[in-house]
Amino acid sequence: MTRMKEGRLKEGRAHTPDPAAERAEALVLAAPGRGVRRARSCALGQRSTMRSAARKGRAAPAARDSLLVLLFLCLLQKTCEPKTANAFKPNILLIMADDLGIGDLGCYGNNTLRTPNIDQLAEEGVRLTQHLAAAPLCTPSRAAFLTGRHSFRSGMEASNGYRALQWNAGSGGLPENETTFARILQQHGYATGLIGKWHQGVNCASRGDHCHHPLNHGFDYFYGMPFTLTNDCDPGRPPEVDAALRARLWGYTQFLALGILTLAAGKTCGFISVSGRAVTGMACVVFLFFISWYSSFGFVRRWNCILMRNHDVTEQPMILEKTASLLLKEAVSYIARHKHGPFLLFLSLLHVHIPLVTTSAFLGKSQHGLYGDNVEEMDWLIGKILNAIEDNGLKNSTFTYFTSDHGGHLEARDGHSQLGGWNGIYKGGKGMGGWEGGIRVPGIFHWPGVLPAGRVIGEPTSLMDVFPTVVQLAGGEVPQDRVIDGHSLMPLLQGAEARSAHEFLFHYCGQHLHAARWHQRDSGSVWKVHYTTPQFHPEGAGACYGRGVCPCSGEGVTHHRPPLLFDLSRDPSEARPLTPDSEPLYHAVIARVGAAVSEHRHTLSPVPQQFSTSNILWKPWLQPCCGHFPFCSCHEDGDGTPRMPGL
């Protein structure tokens, strides 16, 4: 199209391009097929007629008549532009694993875990090898993925303290004024479904306002967990949600109760002169203190481990062993219901997050214990979803994407058994905002006939790029009233562009900038500058064992002055920091990246913090409940109807 416009300018003749013809030709370039050839003939026929009239240099009645006839013929053939546009809106299937390491897949070099379905997806599509999460933890990474912009821009990051949502009954979550790709696709005629994990909040001020709920963010169907899997969902596992605080509160309660008992015993034996009313009053205070924290922490499984269908709670607490089959059934059903499309299905898997709930068919089958079993079950589940796409005749009309929300969880262990993922050659893991192992994730794109099979791209890309990519495929436009950090990947995926649109990428841990990446396009080098890194424990261990995840700030991090510099194109493992002696460009690179960081900081603006203490706290009036609070309990029948106990 650009070359044609340039040719017209060189001819020096007046010409008014036909918008309908140009849009039809754009669709031709994006989606080959039988109907496309007919649309191309329509578009080119319109242009040919108009050019002919322009060459003759006379008034256009004849050209207009010819154009009207041509458009009438297009209508008769049912290939006029509006229907062509609908025909070339692909179905969009986005699959996101939870806590999967990039080194856990065969297509990324693992030869001990069996992932044939994901490997085939990569073989038939495009595989990215420098695909990066915008944050190293669940909630902020997913917020950035959904909105195409860093999570701190929406307040979905922490300056200190909590780095992810802790309760279904907290008031924090993805703000209503944020625009997700689902909302834009919904506006462009897509059915939009989310099946699986949400972890972006539920309510703001009352139990039924659903201000953070998926249905308030562009999805017209939701089935899954509004929260995330934790060890608390499995009664046989140790507590996870605020485990350290919970242990302290239990200790304080025991200490206070022991004090009350001592006073009561002393009074009874006559050793202490204290009124019975005072002892009773103090006992009441201790009891109220106990109730104040145990009403939340004592029932974490009931409050957090639930399933919802749209606004209704269907299982409370959820039965873990059934969950994978329920999600699979829902996904297959959704595809069948919307096979006439177009549809968006965001399949947000619960695999492979602890507690690694795995069905008996896969237990003990891998070489890597429970974690490996769970990875192989995830691959099987994805295979079933891809089969459903093919069985419904949608393989060639579906744009499929697979990734993980961040790197594998190195600190997840059970004694000597590793319960978290493997991040391959990359240093660090989940929770570490700077090191590659925390943010480098799988990125696989599949669309037969449009994306070249077997293509491997090593350019820096981001999960935030998915937002503008799917918006473009749907025929929409990204919001112009806010900063969007992602770029459409279609030119890169199709080979129209050789280089990533990202010159710089900024890597945050909470709201703290830990590192920045410079893709030096003229040389192809990828430089990485680390300003802050976590202190591994024990020293040299490669992770923060003894903690849930590494901290972002405080005494557990090291601030580097001067910064650490790595050339990822030669040292992707970040094993050899460069110095002015070993790298002649050291000072120039540090200065260039520093200038980019300063420019980036000018795009930041203050927003309400969703992870503040007041937003994080459990609030009983916000708790999603099946039945009458606090007696919340139900399980789903085979037909999907919630069933109360005793009914």
Side-chain angles (χ1 to χ4, degrees):
M1 288 172 62
T2 302
R3 289 195 295 272
M4 294 172 69
K5 290 179 181 177
E6 288 175 350
R8 288 195 289 267
L9 289 172
K10 288 178 182 177
E11 291 172 8
R13 298 186 179 96
H15 175 75
T16 303
D18 178 48
E22 293 196 350
R23 286 197 296 273
E25 185 167 325
L27 289 166
V28 167
L29 298 175
R34 178 181 172 188
V36 178
R37 288 194 293 271
R38 296 169 71 187
R40 180 188 283 275
S41 68
C42 259
L44 294 181
Q46 292 175 33
R47 288 186 173 203
S48 176
T49 304
M50 296 184 73
R51 285 179 186 148
S52 176
R55 280 196 298 270
K56 292 176 182 177
R58 57 179 181 260
R64 281 198 302 270
D65 291 344
S66 299
L67 181 58
L68 288 172
V69 170
L70 207 60
L71 287 172
F72 179 70
L73 290 173
C74 284
L75 284 167
L76 289 178
Q77 296 177 9
K78 297 185 178 179
T79 58
C80 53
E81 190 235 347
K83 287 190 178 290
T84 303
N86 283 336
F88 300 117
K89 286 182 178 179
N91 303 308
I92 297 172
L93 172 62
L94 308 177
I95 306 173
M96 177 176 281
D98 198 357
D99 285 17
L100 180 74
I102 191 172
D104 291 327
L105 303 177
C107 55
Y108 283 92
N110 192 312
N111 56 10
T112 59
L113 280 173
R114 293 166 294 188
T115 55
N117 295 296
I118 298 172
D119 297 345
Q120 183 178 351
L121 198 69
E123 184 180 338
E124 296 177 355
V126 180
R127 179 168 63 91
L128 306 182
T129 61
Q130 198 177 166
H131 199 42
L132 304 161
L137 278 181
C138 304
T139 303
S141 173
R142 291 162 184 268
F145 173 73
L146 288 162
T147 62
R149 53 205 238 115
H150 279 289
S151 52
F152 53 76
R153 299 192 190 278
S154 58
M156 294 290 281
E157 270 287 15
S159 56
N160 288 294
Y162 296 101
R163 296 169 56 190
L165 297 176
Q166 302 294 302
W167 299 99
N168 278 325
S171 54
L174 190 64
E176 293 179 275
N177 62 355
E178 285 296 320
T179 300
T180 67
F181 54 70
R183 179 171 292 166
I184 296 177
L185 267 63
Q186 189 181 57
Q187 293 167 353
H188 283 77
Y190 273 73
T192 54
L194 167 59
I195 294 174
K197 170 177 172 173
W198 174 237
H199 209 188
Q200 299 293 303
V202 182
N203 298 312
C204 288
S206 66
R207 184 169 295 130
D209 65 30
H210 299 120
C211 67
H212 302 307
H213 191 278
L215 268 59
N216 202 36
H217 280 292
F219 293 98
D220 50 43
Y221 183 78
F222 169 61
Y223 180 84
M225 281 192 81
F227 193 59
T228 181
L229 279 179
T230 64
N231 272 339
D232 298 279
C233 296
D234 185 343
R237 294 277 181 179
E240 180 181 349
V241 173
D242 253 339
L245 175 59
R246 208 183 311 188
R248 287 198 303 271
L249 291 171
W250 181 241
Y252 297 154
T253 303
Q254 290 177 309
F255 177 78
L256 292 171
L258 182 61
I260 296 298
L261 289 174
T262 301
L263 280 175
K267 172 180 171 51
T268 302
C269 297
F271 298 142
I272 302 174
S273 177
V274 61
S275 70
R277 183 175 295 179
V279 174
T280 303
M282 286 185 281
C284 289
V285 170
V286 173
F287 179 74
L288 289 173
F289 171 72
F290 171 71
I291 291 298
S292 69
W293 67 266
Y294 194 79
S295 59
S296 56
F297 288 123
F299 302 91
V300 175
R301 178 168 174 255
R302 187 169 299 276
W303 301 148
N304 279 350
C305 306
I306 66 175
L307 291 177
M308 296 182 76
R309 176 177 281 105
N310 296 328
H311 290 145
D312 299 322
V313 178
T314 60
E315 284 209 350
Q316 190 170 16
M318 58 198 280
I319 302 172
L320 295 180
E321 294 75 15
K322 292 171 47 183
T323 303
S325 61
L326 287 173
L327 295 180
L328 174 59
K329 177 183 176 183
E330 285 285 336
V332 170
S333 174
Y334 187 88
I335 292 167
R337 291 198 308 272
H338 298 284
K339 63 183 178 181
H340 299 297
F343 68 78
L344 161 72
L345 174 57
F346 177 21
L347 182 61
S348 181
L349 299 172
L350 303 183
H351 294 66
V352 289
H353 199 289
I354 54 175
L356 301 175
V357 182
T358 308
T359 57
S360 58
F362 289 90
L363 283 175
K365 300 299 174 63
S366 78
Q367 299 181 38
H368 294 282
L370 185 59
Y371 181 81
D373 299 344
N374 205 241
V375 170
E376 294 187 357
E377 182 180 61
M378 174 195 70
D379 181 80
W380 169 83
L381 190 149
I382 289 172
K384 291 295 185 182
I385 302 297
L386 298 177
N387 287 345
I389 291 288
E390 190 161 2
D391 292 346
N392 283 282
L394 304 175
K395 183 174 181 178
N396 293 335
S397 60
T398 300
F399 176 88
T400 302
Y401 167 69
F402 174 80
T403 191
S404 176
D405 54 356
H406 48 68
H409 190 184
L410 301 182
E411 293 87 355
R413 301 175 69 87
D414 183 7
H416 296 291
S417 300
Q418 179 68 26
L419 298 180
W422 183 49
N423 298 315
I425 65 171
Y426 304 110
K427 181 182 291 187
K430 176 179 178 177
M432 306 181 206
W435 295 120
E436 289 292 287
I439 55 177
R440 196 178 287 224
V441 294
I444 300 171
F445 293 84
H446 180 269
W447 189 5
V450 179
L451 301 183
R455 182 178 177 85
V456 179
I457 298 174
E459 294 288 296
T461 58
S462 170
L463 262 67
M464 296 183 291
D465 296 335
V466 174
F467 176 97
T469 302
V470 299
V471 166
Q472 177 189 347
L473 292 175
E477 293 185 359
V478 299
Q480 303 298 310
D481 61 345
R482 64 198 65 195
V483 175
I484 299 295
D485 296 297
H487 300 279
S488 174
L489 291 171
M490 289 307 294
L492 190 65
L493 296 175
Q494 292 184 294
E497 297 287 346
R499 296 294 188 192
S500 165
H502 292 284
E503 184 178 7
F504 295 95
L505 283 164
F506 306 97
H507 306 303
Y508 281 79
C509 185
Q511 292 187 350
H512 305 276
L513 180 69
H514 274 205
R517 176 184 319 247
W518 177 27
H519 183 213
Q520 192 177 3
R521 291 172 180 165
D522 54 351
S523 69
S525 295
V526 179
W527 305 96
K528 179 96 167 284
V529 176
H530 285 265
Y531 299 102
T532 304
T533 57
Q535 297 173 4
F536 293 150
H537 177 79
E539 189 174 350
C544 299
Y545 297 109
R547 294 175 177 261
V549 291
C550 289
C552 295
S553 59
E555 296 180 355
V557 302
T558 300
H559 301 285
H560 298 282
R561 296 182 179 85
L564 300 178
L565 176 64
F566 297 92
D567 182 355
L568 296 182
S569 47
R570 292 181 292 172
D571 179 25
S573 301
E574 299 175 287
R576 300 181 300 276
L578 302 172
T579 66
D581 295 331
S582 63
E583 177 51 64
L585 296 176
Y586 177 90
H587 292 295
V589 172
I590 295 294
R592 181 68 187 91
V593 174
V597 168
S598 297
E599 185 176 346
H600 162 72
R601 292 192 190 279
H602 289 145
T603 70
L604 309 184
S605 57
V607 292
Q609 295 304 301
Q610 300 299 317
F611 296 170
S612 65
T613 302
S614 61
N615 279 330
I616 287 289
L617 285 175
W618 181 77
K619 302 174 180 67
W621 58 91
L622 299 184
Q623 178 61 51
C625 181
C626 185
H628 299 288
F629 184 84
F631 307 105
C632 307
S633 180
C634 62
H635 294 291
E636 194 169 353
D637 281 335
D639 62 357
T641 303
R643 178 172 54 83
M644 308 298 179
L647 297 181

